[in-house]
Amino acid sequence: MERTSLHNDSLLYASLIAILLLISYWFTTRCFKIISGIEDSVEDEFELSTVCHRPEGLEQLQEQTKFTRKELQVLYRGFKNECPSGIVNEENFKQIYSQFFPQGGECPSPPCPHTQGCLCGAEGHTAPPHAACLPADSSTYATFLFNAFDTDHDGSVSFEDFVSGLSTILRGTIDDRLNWAFNLYDLNKDGCITKEEMLDIMKSIYDMMGKYTYPAMREEAPREHVENFFQKMDRNKDGVVTIEEFLESCQKDENIMRSMQLFDSVI
């Protein structure tokens, strides 16, 4: 994986990019590769498939989401191809998401720029491994993302859950998308974001993406990101960020508004 430039105040941007990777993965490698059969009736597939969970009817999903009939057909076939049982549990979700971040960065050949070398396998490199040589760990962020899709908190993501979340992210208004992002950050779903919650989010993003950034993120970077986030978002300085503060701050930030538009070109 190529390294990405990551600005010091890009907590929201990094997590949005990670969500975008998930969406792009589903569409490009699981869904549209079987687009040739798109004209078949999706109701027939729902009826004939041997699954543990059978999704709602096509018309009902069209009413609940902003996807067309054909888009729902493609999404369902991709979802069923990846999840024959019709639902995704947390471990399955982690496994799927981990495919974005399969390995750590490669440590260059001698002379090694890392302090006294590293354990990259190159001759003479014997010191503890540099952060860029460690494998990426997307599991914690995947858990947070799974919980955001699992809106009924039953420990699984159904096709309905999946397309509902995608509809909000891809076809919703800016406020819809920001509300979805807020829900992702609000880990205990109590209506506000604490510094502890945001630090957990930021550490998970660092574990997942930090080792692929240039320049490499420092160890104290997650906490600094959190402080920057609260300085910008916590308008009344009470130690928590409410949905109103979050929306107001994001709507006034041109970079955040531009990042939200990334989703408009996914499909």
Side-chain angles (χ1 to χ4, degrees):
M1 178 180 293
E2 295 182 357
R3 292 196 177 187
T4 304
S5 177
L6 190 61
H7 188 271
N8 285 337
D9 194 23
S10 59
L11 168 65
L12 181 61
Y13 317 146
S15 57
L16 288 174
I17 291 169
I19 296 170
L20 186 61
L21 283 172
L22 172 68
I23 298 166
S24 300
Y25 172 80
W26 276 98
F27 273 83
T28 58
T29 67
R30 291 292 185 253
C31 297
F32 287 113
K33 72 177 184 179
I34 48 175
I35 198 170
S36 58
I38 196 172
E39 296 299 333
D40 295 342
S41 170
V42 74
E43 291 99 330
D44 290 344
E45 286 209 15
F46 287 0
E47 187 67 29
L48 296 174
S49 300
T50 304
V51 296
C52 297
H53 175 83
R54 190 163 275 110
E56 298 171 2
L58 177 63
E59 289 76 14
Q60 187 172 352
L61 288 176
Q62 281 184 278
E63 292 176 1
Q64 295 172 350
T65 69
K66 297 182 180 180
F67 291 121
T68 66
R69 177 188 183 92
K70 288 186 177 181
E71 288 169 341
L72 286 169
Q73 285 181 300
V74 174
L75 282 169
Y76 179 67
R77 292 185 179 198
F79 189 89
K80 191 183 70 172
N81 184 65
E82 188 69 36
C83 315
S85 68
I87 58 174
V88 184
N89 62 31
E90 185 176 333
E91 288 307 311
N92 295 147
F93 194 91
K94 287 180 181 179
Q95 184 177 11
I96 293 169
Y97 203 72
S98 69
Q99 296 177 51
F100 301 132
F101 308 94
Q103 60 188 2
E106 294 182 3
C107 181
S109 300
C112 181
H114 306 155
T115 305
Q116 297 185 7
C118 67
L119 296 180
C120 64
E123 184 178 356
H125 293 198
T126 57
H130 185 273
C133 305
L134 296 173
D137 182 4
S138 62
S139 60
T140 302
Y141 187 86
T143 293
F144 298 151
L145 195 55
F146 175 85
N147 291 335
F149 276 100
D150 180 19
T151 54
D152 53 5
H153 311 298
D154 64 353
S156 63
V157 172
S158 65
F159 180 66
E160 295 92 328
D161 295 330
F162 179 62
V163 295
S164 176
L166 284 188
S167 178
T168 299
I169 297 168
L170 298 179
R171 301 288 168 79
T173 64
I174 294 296
D175 280 1
D176 290 337
R177 297 172 185 181
L178 289 173
N179 271 283
W180 199 92
F182 182 89
N183 180 65
L184 172 65
Y185 300 150
D186 180 15
L187 298 181
N188 65 1
K189 313 306 178 191
D190 66 350
C192 62
I193 302 172
T194 65
K195 286 189 176 183
E196 291 75 16
E197 287 175 319
M198 190 52 70
L199 183 59
D200 287 343
I201 288 282
M202 193 61 242
K203 285 181 176 177
S204 72
I205 294 173
Y206 177 79
D207 289 341
M208 179 176 63
M209 299 182 70
K211 50 186 67 66
Y212 297 113
T213 65
Y214 184 82
M217 293 176 66
R218 293 169 291 108
E219 192 168 336
E220 62 272 22
R223 193 170 297 276
E224 292 177 0
H225 281 304
V226 172
E227 292 301 323
N228 291 339
F229 177 89
F230 271 78
Q231 185 175 3
K232 174 185 287 189
M233 301 279 182
D234 185 11
R235 295 302 181 95
N236 63 0
K237 307 304 179 186
D238 64 349
V240 298
V241 174
T242 64
I243 181 61
E244 293 79 14
E245 291 174 318
F246 184 78
L247 290 175
E248 181 182 356
S249 299
C250 290
Q251 289 164 351
K252 292 180 179 179
D253 190 309
E254 293 182 3
N255 289 325
I256 293 177
M257 291 297 97
R258 280 197 296 269
S259 72
M260 283 294 174
Q261 295 172 2
L262 287 172
F263 300 111
D264 293 336
S265 59
V266 173
I267 58 172

